[in-house]
């Protein structure tokens, strides 16, 4: 239940956290949230209206499986500098991303590592 607005850089820059829950947040900022080397990340019921990426995952590049979920969200990105709305960094080789009931309003909706498992459920 947080609100981030105006010229703030992002909701957060997190690294090495197991169990992140972003729920019912409104983010109107330059970027959304960035999680690296983090496990069990859930973004639920939140709205992102950003200039660059809304949610950026990854950079593990190891054998640990990272699970990410985006559920019941609205994501809008202006794609400034070519950033996608959702980014899986190149190191996210063992990532599982599930996107459920989420609207993505952006010219570049998703970018990232081709070996990640991405499931989209309308």
């Amino acid at each position: 239940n947080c609100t981030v607005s105006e010229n703030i850089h992002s909701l957060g820059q997190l690294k090495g956290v197991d169990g992140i829950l972003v729920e019912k947040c409104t983010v109107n900022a330059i970027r959304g949230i960035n999680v690296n080397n983090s496990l069990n990340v859930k973004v639920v019921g939140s709205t992102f209206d950003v200039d660059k990426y809304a949610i950026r995952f990854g950079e593990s590049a190891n054998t640990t499986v990272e699970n990410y979920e985006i559920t019941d969200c609205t994501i809008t990105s202006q794609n400034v500098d070519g950033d996608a709305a959702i980014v899986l960094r190149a190191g996210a080789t063992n990532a599982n991303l599930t996107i459920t009931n989420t609207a993505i309003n952006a010219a570049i909706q998703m970018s990232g590592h081709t070996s990640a498992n991405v499931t989209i459920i309308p």
Side-chain angles (χ1 to χ4, degrees):
N1 284 321
C2 61
T3 300
V4 176
S5 62
E6 298 307 320
N7 292 321
I8 300 297
H9 178 276
S10 62
L11 172 63
Q13 302 286 313
L14 307 170
K15 184 173 184 176
V17 180
D18 186 357
I20 297 170
L21 174 62
V22 175
E23 186 173 25
K24 297 180 183 174
C25 291
T26 300
V27 180
N28 182 354
I30 297 168
R31 294 171 181 87
I33 186 168
N34 180 29
V35 292
N36 290 320
N37 298 332
S38 295
L39 306 173
N40 305 308
V41 178
K42 294 181 181 183
V43 181
V44 180
S46 296
T47 300
F48 293 83
D49 188 351
V50 296
D51 293 334
K52 298 185 178 188
Y53 65 79
I55 306 169
R56 184 163 65 179
F57 300 107
E59 246 188 52
S60 63
N62 60 36
T63 58
T64 301
V65 176
E66 297 177 351
N67 294 304
Y68 310 129
E69 296 178 27
I70 302 171
T71 305
D72 299 325
C73 293
T74 300
I75 296 171
T76 303
S77 172
Q78 299 305 312
N79 301 121
V80 174
D81 295 337
D83 284 339
I86 300 170
V87 177
L88 282 165
R89 289 183 159 205
T93 54
N94 287 315
N96 295 312
L97 169 60
T98 303
I99 302 171
T100 305
N101 193 35
T102 293
I104 304 172
N105 307 306
I108 307 169
Q109 294 185 356
M110 190 178 314
S111 67
H113 203 277
T114 56
S115 69
N117 297 310
V118 178
T119 304
I120 300 174
I121 302 169

